[in-house]
Amino acid sequence: MRMAKQKGFFCFLCFLMAILWSEQVAMGKVIIRVGVVLDMNSAVGKTAESCISAAETDFYAKNADFRTRISLVTRDSKGDVVTAASAALDLMKNEEVEAIIGPQRSSEAKFVIELGAKTQVPILSFSATSPALTPVQSNYFIRTAQSDSSQVKVIASIVETYGWREIVLIYEGTEYGIALVPYLLKAFHEIGTRVPYESCIPSSFDDTEIMSELHKIKKMQESVFLVHMTASMGSRLFLLAESAGMMSEGSAWLVTTGLSTLLDPVDAKVMDSMEGVLGVKPYVPKSIELEGFKSRWKKNFNSENLFGLWAYDTVWAIAMAVEKAGIVRSRFFKQSASNRPVDLAALGISEMGPRLLKSILNTTFDGLSGKFQLVKGEMAPFAFEIFNVVGRSERVIGYWTQKGLSQSLDSSGKISHSNSKTKLKQPIWPGGTIQQPKKLRIGVPVRSGFSEFIEVKWHQQSNEPIVSGFSAEVFLAVLDTLPFPLPYEFIPFMNKSSRKSAGTYDDLLQQINQKFDAVVGDTTIVAYRSSYVDFTLPYSESGITMVVLMKRDERDNMWIFLKPLSPKLWFVTGLAFFVTGLVVWVLEHRINTEFRGTPEQQLGTVIWFSFSTLVFAHRERPENNLTRFVLIIWIFVVLIISQSYTASLASMLTVQRMHPAFVDVKEIKRNNYFVGHQKDSFVKDFLKKELHFNDTMLREYSTPEEYHDALSRGSHNGGVAAIFDEIPYVRRFLDKYRCSKFQMVGPTYQTDGFGFAFPLDSPLVSHISRAILNVTEDHDKMEAIKRKSFGREITCEDQEAETSSGGLRLSSFAGLFLISGVASVSSLLIYIIKFLCSNYPASNTMHEEQSVWLRILEVAKRFDQKDPSIHHLRRTESRVHPVTGPESIGASPETGNVHEMTSNEGAEDVGENQNHNNLISGNSGTNFIASNAGTVAPNTPERN
């Protein structure tokens, strides 16, 4: 008994000495207890435990002079939510930890975060990445990893880069998997990608149930899939997907960070099944510390495991924060006493929790995973790495930052961004192919006519469609202008058996979001179509117009010589000839014997003289200067009109001119003529609704040849009077027939031109529209496309834009007639004034008792008489300048006349002169004095 007591005392003494020895070791150090909750049976848990232990050792080896030292107390959650909560309670109550690292899963962390808020113990998780858990919900929750929501923009950029318009979402039916789905759906909606099916696979599913779900997805004939799962669940999924034949050529798979950060530790068989998969994960920059860590610990675990690196940096952050916070002792304020280990009521409040929390949030350093910096309680995303599973390794094909995607890093190790549209390197897709599995499905119309705009041919060997034409060329030019690649495939809208069009353009557009992702062709932008599709900006001219048959002019018409001048111009010209002749007669009648005689002779002289000036054949010599002035102006007018007439008539006789059969839509409707339009075009509805044509009066055609035949035959012979179509088609039709028989007439009815069609709210519309502007504003590029599609454009320069009534118009010569008229009228007025001034006073002195009308009559009689002053002036001139010859003035043995008259006009002049002398002297036969000559001549008897 005594020996037993001595033995017990010895053991107690040894235990006391051990305690004293441990206190001696930690002398001068403040021990801060930190809890760790991990699933020791999981790959993440095992890796994290090793990294946490290594981090503690490395930190204090480097910082041995720190006054504080953390002591890690680890608990196993066994992958169970309740066990994890119980372990956290035990650490808080019994171990009185100042912080807890973990728990590992988002579902386990939810309750532990509430406990941390209650006890003011910071909860630091390096693996609970679910966006459902946010530091905003609890101030004492710190995520030392990046939230899953930070990768959403990266995934959306990849999907947009490859032009995937549909993607199937496969996710784990846990809180981790479900929480990210709303973020993904929103991001896909913003880039115009549709999610036709969401597959939620609960973690409780066995392989048979998972395989059944995969077969269901396979029947949908979808080819692009996004997987958001943990490593354990994702490994099972890909093994079964390979068995189901879904990892073959023609498919594309993308995985999120939950699976991609743990690819290396998975089984080699799983890696083989994931051949060609694309993945995203946070980018870890290279550093000397990271390389040293890899070399020291590569035997124990794979250091590429990102969760392990985050766990390592978490320990360093806590150790640094504890030192900065100046914590000297760890103590909890108890709320109540209890012997139960998990009694919530017995939990106290950490005295140092608030100070430690603040210190952790302000801690920054360069860790193994990159820069450790917390923003709003979690790690700020810096960059992501995009990789491709090739063989059993990961091949990096690009990077992502807030600036976008890039292929490589610069010389300093930072991500470089270039203007190249190939943002990622060429990946290897499932099945070992480099052909992208999912392309933009572009529907194209199948035309039987106007193939210059869009044409579908078939390759003789591969039997694949070959699409060409103006619309296709513009689309290809637009794709070259886009800042990103846009894979596509043309799918003809046709019946497979006949290879003919499967419907109208409206039917084609309504297939968007069903069979097609877009439509490329000569599709017109119309208001009612915009209710179910979105159009890009137009890339062609717009408008609906009318084309009609041209009638040839009648060059064999016997009256064609009248065509050069319009009827009004003919009338005014003839009137001008007569008036000018009349004015000349008035001015010359009293002084020029050529303008005297019987009334019939004088009328003939007026007409003859005026019209003879047309060919300058007049022989009458004008005596009056006013007459000469009038004739100078008039001959100039005649010259201009005659030359213009000659040129116009020559053109009519030598140049083949045409005029349209109709120029007015109202005329066509009034006469109930048939009109044509293009088959399967919206123009038919336009004619009925806007122009109010009866449906029975409409005929449809498909080719330019049919247009030609219908217009040539006319409405009464089974054809049409006019064809209504869009301007681009009409121009091609006129080019084909060299504008020889047809012309575009009438008003242009506005439309918005051709455009490419996409689903409503598609983000591609804005990109394509900007690219269209760049292409259409490049004149050289557009001309090259037009030459390739249409050949050399032919212009109809010999056709007038407007239809005229024919010939030269009066308005063209109004100025000339005005000048001639002013000259004639002014000359006439001057002459009349001079005549009245010299003759009207004489009549007043002779017969004062006569009325005004009699006086006017007497003045008119005087006007009809020859001017005597001119007669004597001539006689005097003849004496001074004698004239030899048969008409000379001299003495004659037969007569005593001084002046021998040899014509009737001369005899008349003498008689008139005699009468004039009698009027002056008041006696018939009395001699008159020729004042100018200074001699007295005997009276000459009047000749009849």
Side-chain angles (χ1 to χ4, degrees), residues 888-903:
S888 301
I889 300 176
S892 177
E894 288 85 6
T895 64
N897 296 336
V898 178
H899 191 171
E900 181 72 24
M901 298 297 177
T902 60
S903 65

Side-chain angles (χ1 to χ4, degrees), residues 76-180:
D76 186 3
S77 67
K78 299 180 181 180
D80 180 70
V81 175
V82 177
T83 305
S86 178
L89 282 170
D90 177 56
L91 289 172
M92 291 178 185
K93 180 181 179 182
N94 299 322
E95 300 295 339
E96 295 187 352
V97 294
E98 294 293 344
I100 293 179
I101 301 175
Q104 184 176 316
R105 295 181 176 85
S106 298
S107 56
E108 300 170 357
K110 189 174 183 179
F111 182 69
V112 176
I113 291 173
E114 297 296 331
L115 293 178
K118 182 178 181 61
T119 59
Q120 297 185 0
V121 174
I123 308 297
L124 291 83
S125 179
F126 60 86
S127 56
T129 57
S130 171
L133 305 175
T134 64
V136 177
Q137 298 173 347
S138 175
N139 294 334
Y140 284 85
F141 172 57
I142 300 173
R143 182 164 22 222
T144 56
Q146 295 180 12
S147 172
D148 283 338
S149 61
S150 62
Q151 66 183 315
V152 169
K153 290 184 178 180
V154 189
I155 295 171
S157 296
I158 296 173
V159 172
E160 186 177 27
T161 295
Y162 289 116
W164 293 330
R165 299 298 99 195
E166 288 186 353
I167 188 168
V168 174
L169 182 56
I170 305 175
Y171 58 94
E172 185 177 310
T174 60
E175 183 175 358
Y176 163 79
I178 296 173
L180 187 63

Side-chain angles (χ1 to χ4, degrees), residues 628-667:
R628 294 186 181 103
F629 172 70
V630 171
L631 286 178
I632 289 173
I633 302 299
W634 173 245
I635 290 174
F636 176 74
V637 173
V638 170
L639 176 65
I640 297 299
I641 293 178
S642 61
Q643 293 296 323
S644 301
Y645 173 87
T646 303
S648 180
L649 181 60
S651 176
M652 287 184 175
L653 293 174
T654 57
V655 178
Q656 184 177 358
R657 289 183 175 270
M658 308 181 74
H659 64 276
F662 306 98
V663 295
D664 191 2
V665 177
K666 294 180 180 179
E667 181 183 357

